[in-house]
Amino acid sequence: MAEKTPNAAARDETGDTEIVTDAAPATANANEGVLSPRYRWISIGMCSLILLAAFESLAVTTIMPAVSADLNGQSLYALAFAGPLAVSVVGMVLAGNWSDRRGPRGALLVSVLLFTIGLIIAGTAQTMEVLVAGRLLHGFGGGGITVSLYVIVARVYPALLQPRIFAGFAAAWVVPSLIGPFLAGVVAEAFSWHWVFLGVVVLVVPALAMVLPAVRGLGQKPSPDAAPWSISRIAWSALAAIAVLALNLSADADGVFRWILPVASVAVLALAVRPLLPVGTLRAASGLPGVVLFRGLIAGAFFGAEIYIPYLLTDQYGLTPVYAGLGLTLGGVAWGLASQVQGRYAATLSHQACIRIGLALLGVGLVAAIVTTVFALPALVLILGWGVGGAGMGIMYPRTSVMALQSASPAEQGFTSSAISISDGIGSALSIALTAIVFVALTPFGGAWPFVGCFALAAAIGLLAAVTSGRASVAPHAA
């Protein structure tokens, strides 16, 4: 493992931006925050990238029912969500390996480029197949962006400020949550859903420009202790992505293949992800493996249910995309606000307390979704309940990121960042694929039963997260 060295900071030629060239400082000055002169522009730039990704995510979830109807692509509805998450795993592995060897700057640049090209393809698509292809490409880039930013946090910010910048990431979801779903609905109805994708493209470059100067000297040469390029990990990540894509397509399989394909896909996925995650993750070993598994389970529970919130509101309640997005709005706002709470009380609110509170709130949101759908309660019950669930995620998500990074040495930050991001992507993609199978299986029963089945499956995943939550803890790494 790489030896811990004190932070070396050099002032940029402009005289305004400090460039971190090694590990993050162990502590922050008493009056320093994430917006202090040392961290101001990199904090704003990274949060801007998260904000744009948040807007794209919430906007696409809002308009996808209308997009699939316009392009006659209802059969690819779930794949349009699960596909990008699946291929993002490959981007995560590449970005993590790249970051450990040469620093996160190059990985971030390439990832943003692919993300942007994917948005352009999706925004100009005339068929559902082309739109899914664009989604796959920007999902690949999005996975790399996530890991690159996590490594930057680990190498630039001291431990005390890490919960605050992760809270800043969550806060970057607040504005898109407030106006993103509504704005996406307005744009789709007044102009075209194509502009929901294309509008994000012009804002990516300024956000990236704020980040790059501050990481100009961050590990440009390979460290002698850095892990070599791992072709096997890249191959395993590609196999995992293929397994998730096959699982999504199994919902439309006929005959015996309708059952053989899902079982085979899950088996291959379990085999493929093992080398990508810390040893012991799939058996919920204590420490970092438990954190990584827990992260994937709560992601699967929340996002597996969330994509069906606007679908339910448009299909069963007859709401337009503008109003159907309200379910996502409240959930996103509550997520951001709850993240600020855990960040403000980082020193007094323990990791385990955040996990317990978050699980309880997420459970309320999932139960509200089930009860509202079964008994045809007013849509407001579902929307408010999902806000409570979003608050639960806002408390848990930043803390699991901190727990994972605190368990890693500097030489393992790229691997650890990619591991928690892979767990996010695989957990969500697997849940979405399974809910798609449930949705198709229950469609013949008519009414709201397909939605009930999807929410119930998400709740079962959340229950599994609660059962294994005690295994998630910070494991001190070797010096």
Side-chain angles (χ1 to χ4, degrees):
M1 297 182 183
E3 181 182 356
K4 294 181 183 178
T5 56
N7 175 65
R11 190 164 294 276
D12 183 41
E13 292 178 356
T14 62
D16 296 324
T17 306
E18 286 196 34
I19 304 172
V20 180
T21 59
D22 207 332
T27 59
N29 295 332
N31 296 323
E32 275 192 324
V34 295
L35 293 179
S36 62
R38 181 190 299 195
Y39 305 110
R40 181 177 299 139
W41 288 112
I42 189 172
S43 295
I44 294 173
M46 289 197 300
C47 288
S48 296
L49 287 173
I50 295 293
L51 183 147
L52 294 175
F55 175 82
E56 189 273 338
S57 175
L58 292 165
V60 170
T61 305
T62 301
I63 66 170
M64 191 55 71
V67 172
S68 62
D70 183 41
L71 300 179
N72 193 27
Q74 288 84 351
S75 62
L76 298 177
Y77 180 86
L79 183 60
F81 291 100
L85 292 171
V87 299
S88 71
V89 171
V90 185
M92 293 171 189
V93 171
L94 284 168
N97 205 169
W98 189 340
S99 297
D100 280 340
R101 285 185 56 77
R102 304 189 68 90
R105 186 173 184 268
L108 180 63
L109 270 172
V110 173
S111 298
V112 170
L113 177 62
L114 295 175
F115 180 82
T116 303
I117 295 174
L119 286 175
I120 294 173
I121 294 175
T124 56
Q126 299 299 317
T127 66
M128 192 67 172
E129 289 77 11
V130 174
L131 182 134
V132 170
R135 294 271 294 157
L136 292 176
L137 186 58
H138 83 68
F140 182 92
I145 290 173
T146 300
V147 171
S148 301
L149 293 182
Y150 275 37
V151 175
I152 290 172
V153 169
R155 297 192 181 183
V156 172
Y157 296 84
L160 183 62
L161 293 184
Q162 288 177 8
R164 300 181 190 177
I165 189 59
F166 280 124
F169 286 0
W173 281 75
V174 173
V175 173
S177 298
L178 283 171
I179 65 173
F182 178 80
L183 182 59
V186 170
V187 171
E189 292 182 19
F191 302 100
S192 169
W193 57 261
H194 297 274
W195 288 103
V196 175
F197 293 96
L198 297 176
V200 176
V201 173
V202 298
L203 300 175
V204 171
V205 174
L208 180 63
M210 297 182 204
V211 177
L212 292 181
V215 295
R216 186 175 300 161
L218 195 58
Q220 292 299 299
K221 296 182 180 180
S223 166
D225 296 323
W229 284 104
S230 177
I231 303 302
S232 63
R233 277 177 54 79
I234 297 170
W236 283 120
S237 66
L239 182 61
I242 292 171
V244 172
L245 295 176
L247 183 60
N248 276 269
L249 297 175
S250 67
D252 294 322
D254 297 323
V256 68
F257 290 102
R258 190 169 188 176
W259 304 108
I260 293 179
L261 191 55
V263 173
S265 298
V266 172
V268 171
L269 178 62
L271 176 67
V273 299
R274 287 188 64 189
L276 307 177
L277 304 175
V279 176
T281 297
L282 297 185
R283 55 182 173 83
S286 295
L288 179 60
V291 174
V292 173
L293 177 64
F294 179 76
R295 176 70 166 252
L297 290 173
I298 60 174
F302 185 83
F303 294 111
E306 186 182 56
I307 70 165
Y308 290 98
I309 298 294
Y311 197 170
L312 173 70
L313 294 175
T314 55
D315 185 74
Q316 297 294 310
Y317 288 87
L319 299 182
T320 65
V322 173
Y323 294 104
L326 290 175
L328 306 182
T329 295
L330 187 57
V333 171
W335 183 318
L337 293 177
S339 295
Q340 292 299 308
V341 171
Q342 70 79 32
R344 181 177 296 273
Y345 297 100
T348 57
L349 195 59
S350 70
H351 296 325
Q352 285 301 320
C354 288
I355 287 176
R356 289 193 297 269
I357 296 170
L359 283 172
L361 296 178
L362 176 59
V364 170
L366 292 170
V367 169
I370 296 172
V371 172
T372 301
T373 311
V374 170
F375 296 104
L377 299 179
L380 183 61
V381 176
L382 172 63
I383 293 172
L384 293 176
W386 202 242
V388 175
M393 292 295 285
I395 291 177
M396 291 186 289
Y397 233 61
R399 283 308 179 92
T400 54
S401 298
V402 174
M403 293 169 71
L405 290 176
Q406 288 179 351
S407 299
S409 69
E412 295 174 324
Q413 289 164 352
F415 172 80
T416 302
S417 297
S418 67
I420 57 177
S421 300
I422 287 169
S423 188
D424 279 348
I426 292 296
S428 301
L430 180 60
S431 176
I432 292 170
L434 293 175
T435 54
I437 294 174
V438 170
F439 193 92
V440 171
L442 295 180
T443 295
F445 293 91
W449 287 111
F451 297 100
V452 174
C454 293
F455 294 144
L457 177 57
I461 297 173
L463 182 60
L464 182 59
V467 171
T468 60
S469 62
R471 312 295 288 177
S473 60
V474 174
H477 55 79

